[in-house]
């Protein structure tokens, strides 16, 4: 079941990653990491299926798998319309909640720390910038 879940999430993430706009120079910059991660999920899912005796249809985890699949597609869409910081501040605690974290302090910390740490790693250290949100982008406001 884990392998099948990884493959489905990877396929959904790959499709939505292709929807990320090219950067201002026409390069794949912001698509590169989501696509690499999406394809890695597909490969890892296939490896997990080969390792196990086949997909077990344990239906108790299907709501979480569906939730993560929906969240991954919604996250990529949200990045394109409201920007990276707001989308990540919403998606990080939701992902933790799907995995069973119910601590208000932990979910709140994820909403603040994940965008900050990822911003530091990807934007400041690696120089990989996401596209600005079409409707609104907090990075545009902060940079002024």
């Amino acid at each position: 079941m884990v392998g099948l879940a990884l493959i489905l999430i990877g396929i959904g993430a790959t499709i939505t990653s292709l929807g990320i706009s090219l950067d201002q120079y026409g390069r794949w910059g912001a698509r590169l990491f989501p696509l690499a991660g999406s394809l890695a999920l597909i490969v890892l899912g296939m490896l997990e299926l080969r390792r196990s005796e086949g997909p077990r249809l344990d239906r108790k985890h299907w709501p979480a798998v569906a939730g993560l699949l929906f969240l991954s597609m919604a996250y990529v869409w949200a990045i394109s319309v409201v920007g990276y910081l707001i989308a990540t501040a919403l998606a990080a605690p939701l992902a933790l909640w799907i995995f069973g974290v119910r601590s208000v302090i932990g979910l709140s910390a994820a909403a603040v720390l994940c965008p900050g740490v990822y911003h530091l790693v990807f934007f400041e250290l690696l120089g990989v910038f996401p596209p600005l949100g079409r409707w609104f982008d907090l990075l545009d406001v902060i940079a002024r």
Side-chain angles (χ1 to χ4, degrees):
M1 183 64 187
V2 172
L4 183 61
L6 287 172
I7 291 170
L8 291 175
I9 291 170
I11 290 170
T14 300
I15 291 168
T16 53
S17 295
L18 290 172
I20 297 173
S21 303
L22 299 175
D23 67 10
Q24 64 268 26
Y25 304 109
R27 296 179 303 200
W28 280 43
R31 282 186 190 174
L32 189 60
F33 284 102
L35 276 174
S38 302
L39 296 174
L41 285 173
I42 293 170
V43 169
L44 291 172
M46 289 189 296
L47 291 172
E48 176 63 24
L49 280 179
R50 276 190 60 210
R51 186 182 70 83
S52 65
E53 58 268 0
R56 287 184 220 92
L57 296 178
D58 185 2
R59 296 175 192 254
K60 72 179 182 180
H61 298 295
W62 284 26
V65 170
L68 285 173
L69 180 60
F70 176 76
L71 179 61
S72 67
M73 292 186 291
Y75 177 59
V76 172
W77 175 80
I79 288 174
S80 69
V81 295
V82 294
Y84 164 79
L85 289 176
I86 293 173
T88 304
L90 294 172
L94 285 173
L96 290 175
W97 188 84
I98 289 171
F99 280 109
V101 175
R102 298 294 187 263
S103 165
V104 174
I105 294 171
L107 296 173
S108 300
V112 174
L113 292 175
C114 287
V117 170
Y118 299 155
H119 176 84
L120 175 68
V121 171
F122 286 104
F123 308 161
E124 302 298 330
L125 299 176
L126 296 175
V128 176
F129 298 93
L132 291 175
R134 285 179 298 207
W135 299 345
F136 174 77
D137 197 315
L138 194 55
L139 286 174
D140 194 33
V141 174
I142 293 173
R144 292 182 185 191

